[in-house]
Amino acid sequence: MISSSRTQVAIIGAGPSGLLLGALLHKAGIEHTIIERQSPAYVLGRIRAGILEQVTVDLLHEAGVGHGVDSGGTVHHSIELVFKNTRHPIDVTGLTNGKVVTAYGQTEVTRDLMQHRSQLGLPTVYEAADVQLHDFDGKHPSVTYTKDGVRHSLQCDFIAGCDGFHGVARASVPRDAITEYEKVYPFAWLGVLADVPPVSSHAIVYANSDRGFALCSMRSMTRSRYYVQCPSNDKLEDWSDQRFWDEIRRRLDPEMAERMQTGPSIEKSMAPLRSFVAEPMRFGRLFLAGDAAHIVPPTGAKGLNLAAGDVKYLSSALIEHYKENSDAGIDHYSQRALARIWRAERFSWWLTTLMHQFPESGAFGQRMQEAELDYLVKSKALSTSLAENYVGLPLDFG
Ligand code: FAS
Ligand code: PHB
């Protein structure tokens, strides 16, 4: 027994990409349904990104959920680079004619979008099992899934694969129709969330040391988010809170290390680092967006912001299809999104390579990183390049 229904756009995944796409399509009067394999609590429990580009903040406002970031976000005008035990500010706003980034966690973004969706009563299927995509290379695609023991078939015009790196959408594309580019880094990030005031509430701190990379971020004035580079094969149980606090302070400049407030971790997770891009991002009536199509090492704070850019391009293309009876945007989506994605991949790879310890590079490699950082903080040209990529290149960068 299969229960059949129909919509215009089937969205796979209720992470930031799927939820933001749903909000923008709803605003344009386009029917859609989101199908998510986890529960709302599970989706909210994943601690991830923390820095939003202005493009992303603007999109949240366009989607009708800008109130959260306006009241809970912290605007940053600079970042700080630590190397050779010294901290150097980079005046991001001054170098980009006034642009800023906003510290506001992905968890909060996701919660704002979920609450907005729930208030509107928009169709969202959580804990959907065995999701499968059908006939997206033809004119009548559909998605099947099992919910509470009942098999469902959702007929649609288009499918948006917003189901992340391990999702079913990209995996449903025939192997000879897709090209994947990947680089796996020889280390991971160990992240800790703690209810202690951030050591730096006005700027994200990126530290290069001969012990490895460290990052100091925040979620609010009372909640900090910190990371240290660790070997890929480390286990969470290898890292007590005390070991984490001792290690991150060894990687910062002495003044900041002294000033850092420590406390019990309320979340601790390990994330492998990879660069990944799948080309193209459109297969007939299936479109990939967000982590389903690309992954960046989180060093450049681009993952969530790239997903937002994809969603802006895709929502505009679908709105143009339905409201203006034009497929120009749909036909151009993949090329347009990939141009922005590869620029962010380059920036994330460059900053990761500059800031992390690569065992095979040895003492000479550490000196090369320190020399490039020393040049960067003194060069208006190179620090401008860092700043304009960090705030995010415009959607119409060309
Ligand atoms: P997501 O992975 O967030 O969401 C995909 C959704 O699809 C999930 O809810 C999943 O349950 C669902 N799904 C998967 N398979 C499905 C199926 N078969 N059927 C139905 N639903 C399915 N970015 C930063 O900018 N800064 C960071 O510090 C940072 N840290 C990260 C740490 C980790 C461990 C990870 C994995 C990513 C991190 N990122 C970071 C990147 C992250 O923020 C992503 O860019 C962001 O989550 C992208 O959002 P989505 O594209 O919606 O993918
Ligand atoms: C975070 O706050 O989680 C964060 C901030 C900046 C990054 C990566 C992660 O580059």
Side-chain angles (χ1 to χ4, degrees):
M1 161 71 175
I2 286 194
S3 165
S4 290
S5 58
R6 165 166 252 292
T7 190
Q8 289 176 301
V9 181
I11 300 174
I12 317 293
S17 296
L19 291 167
L20 185 56
L21 179 60
L24 293 170
L25 292 181
H26 168 72
K27 186 179 173 188
I30 295 170
E31 279 181 19
H32 67 281
T33 295
I34 294 182
I35 300 164
E36 164 62 49
R37 80 172 162 190
Q38 303 290 0
S39 68
Y42 185 95
V43 174
L44 280 175
R46 293 187 302 236
I47 307 300
R48 290 189 177 165
I51 291 296
L52 305 183
E53 296 173 358
Q54 193 57 45
V55 164
T56 305
V57 173
D58 293 346
L59 263 177
L60 293 176
H61 280 277
E62 186 180 334
V65 297
H67 54 279
V69 65
D70 283 356
S71 56
T74 306
V75 172
H76 283 183
H77 299 276
S78 64
I79 62 173
E80 295 194 316
L81 300 180
V82 174
F83 60 97
K84 292 196 287 188
N85 282 324
T86 308
R87 197 160 77 242
H88 303 263
I90 300 289
D91 176 13
V92 166
T93 298
L95 290 165
T96 59
N97 298 319
K99 293 186 178 180
V100 300
V101 293
T102 302
Y104 189 64
Q106 175 171 324
T107 303
E108 286 67 36
V109 170
T110 305
R111 182 179 296 112
D112 295 344
L113 286 163
M114 285 166 75
Q115 285 172 350
H116 178 68
R117 189 167 184 81
S118 172
Q119 285 157 7
L120 293 169
L122 296 176
T124 316
V125 181
Y126 282 100
E127 296 176 286
D130 188 17
V131 176
Q132 293 180 24
L133 284 62
H134 310 277
D135 304 324
F136 49 80
D137 51 353
K139 288 190 178 305
H140 305 289
S142 64
V143 176
T144 55
Y145 61 90
T146 299
K147 171 70 177 173
D148 299 335
V150 176
R151 194 72 182 153
H152 293 259
S153 174
L154 179 64
Q155 313 295 314
C156 53
D157 299 331
F158 300 103
I159 303 173
C162 299
D163 51 348
F165 184 67
H166 300 290
V168 66
R170 189 179 76 248
S172 300
V173 176
R175 290 299 90 195
D176 61 359
I178 196 168
T179 304
E180 297 182 349
Y181 303 85
E182 183 169 39
K183 176 182 177 58
V184 177
Y185 296 87
F187 41 74
W189 277 17
L190 172 67
V192 158
L193 201 60
D195 280 335
V196 292
V199 70
S200 169
S201 60
H202 62 283
I204 305 296
V205 180
Y206 295 83
N208 168 293
S209 83
D210 57 12
R211 299 179 66 91
F213 172 75
L215 188 150
C216 302
S217 183
M218 59 187 285
R219 290 296 178 267
S220 70
M221 292 305 179
T222 58
R223 178 166 287 187
S224 298
R225 177 65 169 173
Y226 295 131
Y227 300 92
V228 295
Q229 170 187 351
C230 64
S232 301
N233 58 0
D234 265 13
K235 304 278 181 295
L236 272 182
E237 50 267 29
D238 299 336
W239 285 86
S240 68
D241 284 3
Q242 191 57 51
R243 181 185 175 197
F244 178 86
W245 292 120
D246 292 346
E247 187 57 42
I248 193 167
R249 284 184 294 192
R250 285 194 190 103
R251 301 185 184 185
L252 300 173
D253 60 284
E255 186 278 327
M256 184 167 269
E258 178 63 31
R259 187 159 45 83
M260 178 173 267
Q261 292 190 49
T262 66
S265 61
I266 59 173
E267 190 271 353
K268 197 183 287 180
S269 52
M270 206 163 276
L273 267 63
R274 80 176 76 238
S275 298
F276 174 87
V277 179
E279 289 189 358
M281 292 168 60
R282 180 229 181 147
F283 308 90
R285 289 174 172 259
L286 167 65
F287 300 91
L288 302 181
D291 277 18
H294 45 75
I295 297 288
V296 284
T299 322
K302 291 297 159 214
L304 178 55
N305 294 298
L306 269 184
D310 292 352
V311 166
K312 177 58 180 173
Y313 294 143
L314 182 54
S315 60
S316 302
L318 290 168
I319 292 166
E320 186 185 71
H321 169 84
Y322 284 108
K323 303 303 178 185
E324 298 170 29
N325 198 27
S326 160
D327 281 357
I330 281 177
D331 293 339
H332 192 215
Y333 166 70
S334 179
Q335 180 191 343
R336 195 176 180 205
L338 284 167
R340 179 175 172 82
I341 288 157
W342 278 112
R343 291 185 187 114
E345 289 282 347
R346 181 212 64 84
F347 172 67
S348 304
W349 160 81
W350 170 76
L351 194 56
T352 300
T353 305
L354 179 59
M355 299 304 292
H356 288 73
Q357 190 185 52
F358 288 74
E360 71 281 7
S361 303
F364 180 78
Q366 179 64 28
R367 283 288 181 273
M368 284 297 97
Q369 291 177 332
E370 290 169 0
E372 180 160 353
L373 284 162
D374 190 53
Y375 168 54
L376 188 157
V377 298
K378 295 181 175 69
S379 160
K380 188 166 189 305
L382 191 47
S383 48
T384 299
S385 172
L386 167 59
E388 70 177 7
N389 280 280
Y390 193 78
V391 298
L393 298 176
L395 284 172
D396 57 357
F397 188 76

